[in-house]
Amino acid sequence: MRRAIERKRDGAPLEPHTWEEIVAAYVTGAVDDAQMAALAMACVWRGMDVDETVALTRAMVASGASLQYPRDVFVVDKHSSGGVSDIVSLVAVPLVAACGVRVAKLSGRALGHTGGTIDKLETIVGLRTTIEMHDFVAQVQRVGCAIAAQSEAFVPADKRLYRLRDHTATVPSIGLIAASIVSKKIAGGAQAFVFDVKCGSAAFMHDVHRATELAQMLVAVSHAFGRRARAVVSDMNEPLGRSIGTGIEVIEARDFLRGEDADARVREGCLQIAVEMLALAGERDARASAVGAWHSGKAYEKFVEMIEAQGGSRQAVENMRIDARTHEVRAAHDGFVAAIDAVALGHAAREWSTHEATAGVRVAMRVGARVAKGDVLATAYGAHANAKRVAEAFTIAATAPAARPLSYATL
Amino acid sequence: MRRAIERKRDGAPLEPHTWEEIVAAYVTGAVDDAQMAALAMACVWRGMDVDETVALTRAMVASGASLQYPRDVFVVDKHSSGGVSDIVSLVAVPLVAACGVRVAKLSGRALGHTGGTIDKLETIVGLRTTIEMHDFVAQVQRVGCAIAAQSEAFVPADKRLYRLRDHTATVPSIGLIAASIVSKKIAGGAQAFVFDVKCGSAAFMHDVHRATELAQMLVAVSHAFGRRARAVVSDMNEPLGRSIGTGIEVIEARDFLRGEDADARVREGCLQIAVEMLALAGERDARASAVGAWHSGKAYEKFVEMIEAQGGSRQAVENMRIDARTHEVRAAHDGFVAAIDAVALGHAAREWSTHEATAGVRVAMRVGARVAKGDVLATAYGAHANAKRVAEAFTIAATAPAARPLSYATL
């Protein structure tokens, strides 16, 4: 192991079999956390090439259980690198399923200021996110989609390694990140993946070049496993949707699917990912199919069907209301919304929604909007909500900010 | 701690108080080996500036006990970064003391292919290298010199950190190396240090630039502690002396001090360090003093006095003889000695001298010597000695090699 660390430290790539030996030894304890931490830092320093990342991914997959679908069942999965007001999974999963393409979405929990799809779904009364894996596979085939928490049996090596990297400030290595993400997708059993790599002040990647590098690596590693894959590098300098919280985001997704609340940015963000998922499944006119399933209400019905299959009910989701204790935040002067601090709002909403599931923030004025003194910028909801924190997240400037694209690259 | 690792990882220096907190927390276990290993790798990557190295050194010294001499007693110490046939301490310590300058030499053991002064001294029957620290201080004042093993009570943080760095391939950081070396010297209590930084194929530093960087850092950190310091960057591409082993090196040092075996390279190597030590003590004509003490036999008498003070005897050291089981190694053809692999000879001699204290190798033909087929190149001594291994360490070429200086820099 020491020789492997030296090699990486000195800038040489490690052989695939070396990565396999390292992961196997790490799982048994023959390689300890100190050596692994030094190697991880050397990876942050020196980088990892595609072959190394594939080998690490393969070794991590081998450390645990994997799902398998019948050969003739084509299943798509998606992954987001984490953002604020990222309701894409809640919308795109039933939307794609409503177009006849099966989606098996394995999700994580909230991390730092970013939300977690599992935490959001759990605000629907009765809904289960911990599903026996054979029930999950069966639901994907029967209903056409399912969203569940990652099984603990998947990729135990990644769990241990991720904890260590978090503890030792060795997270930001493209290779280590990609292996962590792709290993869990491979274990999940789908044949095609769409990676939504967020980029900006409220994403884990702040830099478009680094985010694009990660996106390329995710696609390359997936291809090495014989999977179809696409990646979108999308903006996360402001909340994607209007709602920030857990239940409040479910409500936004529900209303979007019912055609009630079509904010342009969130619509485009959801459709783009859905279209990539459909395209991977071979759908010819993916955009038209997606829009059709949305407008026809089929996507919403699939959403309800999925909720029911997981123990929730139509009534439970349709009865959800935003917390009634409102705190309006108004513009202190005329101007333009120049920036919205999504990190601050993400942290605030996460705190408040631990008390009430439908507490959080709803943004009324998006980045670029012209506002007059006294206009409502946003509303904070919940007994513990604090309008001042929300007000501080808004920057009002004399001039309009430059428009920012929703996505920087698709590959 | 994670923030400190991030900062170093991203290329920023850490504040002095941060280094102090890290070492204190590492000693108590609040910072674990994994975090320390990641930080160490980040130091290998990003380097450490003088202020950081001073802060780390100070924190390490504070982790354990220190020696103190009376204010009016001026004491010099020396350090070698480790080499093969490096008998400088055995010679220079009594030589400098014979000139009236007190020397308190705290030494380490053999490491890898390099010899350790403590292991060598212990081949003198009766001699103690583990000395109570107040007896050590008293001996330095009474006899003028002493050579003892580092006390276990000195710099416990370095012991733990060095083991970790060795385990995690994070040794080669100038700052970490310098802090490790200087902290032990500071704890040893001397007011002036000469650092002999070896450089070449058989040294830990292979590159003159890196060795010079280390030498500069050692001097700068010592100055920050108010100590006088000098450093020599000296060649370690071949054995310094003719003998390689433990007892066999004591015999070479003894014979040198008695004026019997004055190989030019080892003489110059020993005198240079002795001269720097004397110069640090303010000796005006340091070279003349050193040569005088050598030629007059005073240095040898001081050597014997030191041995006696530590439980050995004149008889014990004068009766030492090289192991009688000899294996001569002869030149296979005419030519010049182009290279002698000191690493190979260091490993071989270390193995053999675990069986007999005076086993080892004695080199007859140095690098650059013209040899005829059948000339004795070297002799291997000891029951387990192996002439073939010694023969393989010699490269005989048709042309003479370029002459290599003994030292590359003095600062």
Side-chain angles (χ1 to χ4, degrees):
Chain A
M1 178 64 179
R2 198 169 57 173
R3 234 175 299 243
I5 305 170
E6 278 169 10
R7 206 175 143 77
K8 180 48 77 182
R9 179 196 75 199
D10 296 342
L14 303 187
E15 296 290 333
H17 70 86
T18 306
W19 279 110
E20 281 156 29
E21 286 159 22
I22 288 169
V23 173
Y26 185 54
V27 169
T28 64
V31 161
D32 61 26
D33 280 345
Q35 290 187 316
M36 205 63 182
L39 179 63
M41 184 61 85
C43 290
V44 174
W45 173 8
R46 299 295 195 175
M48 291 170 68
D49 66 25
V50 175
D51 289 346
E52 290 185 275
T53 309
V54 169
L56 174 58
T57 305
R58 194 181 307 281
M60 297 224 291
V61 172
S63 75
S66 295
L67 292 191
Q68 277 215 315
Y69 290 89
R71 281 212 179 165
D72 56 340
V73 177
F74 187 84
V75 176
V76 182
D77 194 353
K78 77 159 281 266
H79 174 84
S80 162
S81 67
V84 173
S85 187
D86 181 0
I87 62 167
V88 175
S89 291
L90 296 174
V91 169
V93 169
L95 189 58
V96 169
C99 297
V101 173
R102 289 188 178 83
V103 188
K105 171 76 181 102
L106 291 163
S107 279
R109 294 201 172 265
L111 189 64
H113 64 276
T114 68
T117 299
I118 295 304
D119 302 285
K120 297 172 195 173
L121 275 178
E122 287 176 351
T123 64
I124 301 170
V125 175
L127 188 141
R128 289 184 307 272
T129 56
T130 306
I131 308 179
E132 280 297 322
M133 285 297 117
H134 65 266
D135 293 337
F136 179 81
V137 168
Q139 181 183 327
V140 169
Q141 295 181 249
R142 193 181 72 250
V143 177
C145 61
I147 304 181
Q150 205 92 251
S151 159
E152 286 292 316
F154 287 178
V155 204
D158 177 66
K159 278 186 193 66
R160 198 170 153 204
L161 182 55
Y162 188 82
R163 246 196 317 267
L164 178 72
R165 287 164 57 213
D166 188 47
H167 181 61
T168 58
T170 52
V171 168
S173 151
I174 298 284
L176 295 179
I177 295 170
S180 171
I181 292 172
V182 181
S183 62
K184 287 176 287 187
K185 294 289 116 181
I186 298 290
Q191 290 93 333
F193 316 130
V194 172
F195 300 104
D196 187 2
V197 179
K198 303 290 187 187
C199 170
S201 55
F204 292 107
M205 296 266 166
H206 294 197
D207 176 76
V208 174
H209 288 289
R210 291 276 291 170
T212 307
E213 248 185 273
L214 174 59
Q216 286 165 336
M217 183 64 95
L218 292 168
V219 170
V221 174
S222 302
H223 285 169
F225 282 88
R227 301 308 201 274
R228 301 186 198 168
R230 291 199 177 183
V232 176
V233 178
S234 62
D235 183 71
M236 189 36 69
N237 285 293
E238 58 180 291
L240 177 65
R242 290 185 174 274
S243 308
I244 304 144
T246 52
I248 197 172
E249 293 189 35
V250 172
I251 292 168
E252 183 169 0
R254 174 197 72 193
D255 294 347
F256 176 88
L257 286 166
R258 288 204 292 206
E260 287 169 21
D261 185 13
D263 175 86
R265 198 167 182 91
V266 79
R267 182 186 64 228
E268 194 45 42
C270 293
L271 282 177
Q272 184 174 23
I273 297 299
V275 165
E276 297 299 338
M277 292 167 78
L278 290 169
L280 279 183
E283 193 75 25
R284 285 268 176 102
D285 200 350
R287 193 167 181 98
S289 302
V291 171
W294 177 35
H295 285 167
S296 67
K298 279 191 191 167
Y300 179 67
E301 288 307 315
K302 191 54 79 179
F303 177 67
V304 171
E305 195 184 345
M306 177 181 79
I307 288 167
E308 289 173 341
Q310 298 187 208
S313 66
R314 179 184 293 269
Q315 202 191 356
V317 71
E318 294 192 346
N319 282 349
M320 285 175 79
R321 296 286 174 274
I322 303 183
D323 197 280
R325 286 151 299 190
T326 65
H327 314 257
E328 287 186 337
V329 177
R330 292 174 186 277
H333 50 83
D334 293 359
F336 292 90
V337 178
I340 300 175
D341 183 346
V343 174
L345 294 184
H347 279 299
R350 197 168 160 196
E351 281 172 38
W352 305 337
S353 59
T354 58
H355 301 285
E356 299 93 26
T358 54
V361 179
R362 180 156 269 200
V363 172
M365 294 294 185
R366 301 210 63 132
V367 171
R370 163 169 250 152
V371 296
K373 183 177 170 183
D375 281 354
V376 174
L377 298 175
T379 307
Y381 298 90
H384 298 78
N386 173 340
K388 191 155 167 287
R389 281 179 74 178
V390 176
E392 283 167 358
F394 278 78
T395 306
I396 309 295
T399 54
R404 221 185 253 113
L406 178 64
S407 75
Y408 299 101
T410 305
L411 34 130
Chain B
M1 179 65 179
R2 197 170 57 173
R3 233 174 301 242
I5 304 170
E6 278 170 10
R7 208 176 141 76
K8 178 51 78 182
R9 179 196 75 197
D10 296 341
L14 303 187
E15 296 290 333
H17 70 86
T18 305
W19 279 110
E20 280 156 30
E21 287 160 22
I22 289 169
V23 172
Y26 186 54
V27 168
T28 64
V31 161
D32 61 26
D33 280 345
Q35 290 187 315
M36 205 64 180
L39 180 63
M41 185 60 86
C43 289
V44 174
W45 172 9
R46 299 295 194 174
M48 292 169 68
D49 66 25
V50 175
D51 290 347
E52 291 185 275
T53 310
V54 169
L56 174 58
T57 305
R58 193 181 307 280
M60 296 224 291
V61 172
S63 75
S66 295
L67 291 190
Q68 277 214 311
Y69 291 89
R71 282 211 179 166
D72 57 339
V73 177
F74 187 84
V75 177
V76 183
D77 193 353
K78 78 159 280 267
H79 174 85
S80 162
S81 66
V84 174
S85 188
D86 181 0
I87 63 167
V88 174
S89 290
L90 296 173
V91 169
V93 169
L95 188 59
V96 169
C99 297
V101 173
R102 289 186 176 85
V103 188
K105 171 75 180 107
L106 291 163
S107 280
R109 295 200 173 266
L111 188 64
H113 64 277
T114 68
T117 299
I118 295 303
D119 301 285
K120 296 172 195 173
L121 275 178
E122 287 176 351
T123 63
I124 301 170
V125 175
L127 188 141
R128 290 183 308 272
T129 57
T130 305
I131 310 179
E132 279 297 321
M133 284 297 117
H134 65 266
D135 294 336
F136 179 81
V137 168
Q139 181 184 326
V140 169
Q141 294 182 251
R142 194 180 72 250
V143 177
C145 61
I147 304 180
Q150 206 90 250
S151 160
E152 285 292 316
F154 287 178
V155 202
D158 178 66
K159 279 186 192 67
R160 198 171 154 204
L161 182 55
Y162 188 82
R163 246 196 318 269
L164 178 72
R165 286 165 55 213
D166 188 47
H167 181 60
T168 58
T170 52
V171 169
S173 150
I174 297 284
L176 295 178
I177 295 170
S180 172
I181 292 171
V182 180
S183 62
K184 287 176 285 189
K185 294 288 115 180
I186 297 289
Q191 290 92 336
F193 316 131
V194 172
F195 299 103
D196 188 1
V197 179
K198 303 290 189 190
C199 170
S201 56
F204 292 107
M205 295 265 166
H206 293 196
D207 174 75
V208 175
H209 288 287
R210 289 276 293 170
T212 307
E213 247 184 274
L214 174 60
Q216 285 165 336
M217 184 63 96
L218 292 168
V219 170
V221 174
S222 302
H223 285 169
F225 282 88
R227 303 307 203 273
R228 300 186 199 170
R230 290 197 178 187
V232 176
V233 179
S234 62
D235 182 72
M236 189 37 69
N237 285 294
E238 58 179 295
L240 177 65
R242 290 184 175 276
S243 309
I244 303 143
T246 51
I248 197 172
E249 292 189 36
V250 172
I251 292 167
E252 182 169 1
R254 175 197 71 192
D255 294 349
F256 176 88
L257 285 166
R258 289 204 293 207
E260 287 172 20
D261 185 13
D263 174 84
R265 198 166 182 91
V266 79
R267 181 185 68 226
E268 196 43 43
C270 292
L271 282 177
Q272 184 174 23
I273 297 300
V275 163
E276 296 299 339
M277 292 167 79
L278 290 168
L280 278 183
E283 194 76 25
R284 285 268 178 101
D285 201 350
R287 191 165 184 100
S289 301
V291 171
W294 177 34
H295 285 168
S296 67
K298 277 190 190 167
Y300 180 66
E301 288 307 317
K302 191 55 78 180
F303 178 66
V304 172
E305 197 185 342
M306 178 180 79
I307 288 167
E308 288 173 342
Q310 297 187 210
S313 66
R314 178 183 295 270
Q315 205 190 354
V317 71
E318 293 190 348
N319 282 349
M320 285 175 79
R321 295 284 174 276
I322 302 184
D323 197 279
R325 287 152 296 190
T326 65
H327 314 258
E328 286 186 337
V329 176
R330 292 174 186 278
H333 51 83
D334 294 358
F336 292 89
V337 178
I340 301 175
D341 182 347
V343 174
L345 294 183
H347 279 300
R350 198 170 159 194
E351 281 172 37
W352 305 337
S353 59
T354 58
H355 301 286
E356 300 93 26
T358 53
V361 179
R362 181 156 267 201
V363 172
M365 294 295 187
R366 301 210 61 133
V367 171
R370 162 168 252 152
V371 296
K373 183 178 173 182
D375 281 354
V376 174
L377 297 174
T379 309
Y381 298 91
H384 298 78
N386 173 340
K388 189 154 168 287
R389 280 178 74 176
V390 176
E392 284 167 358
F394 279 78
T395 306
I396 309 295
T399 53
R404 221 187 254 111
L406 179 64
S407 74
Y408 298 101
T410 306
L411 33 129

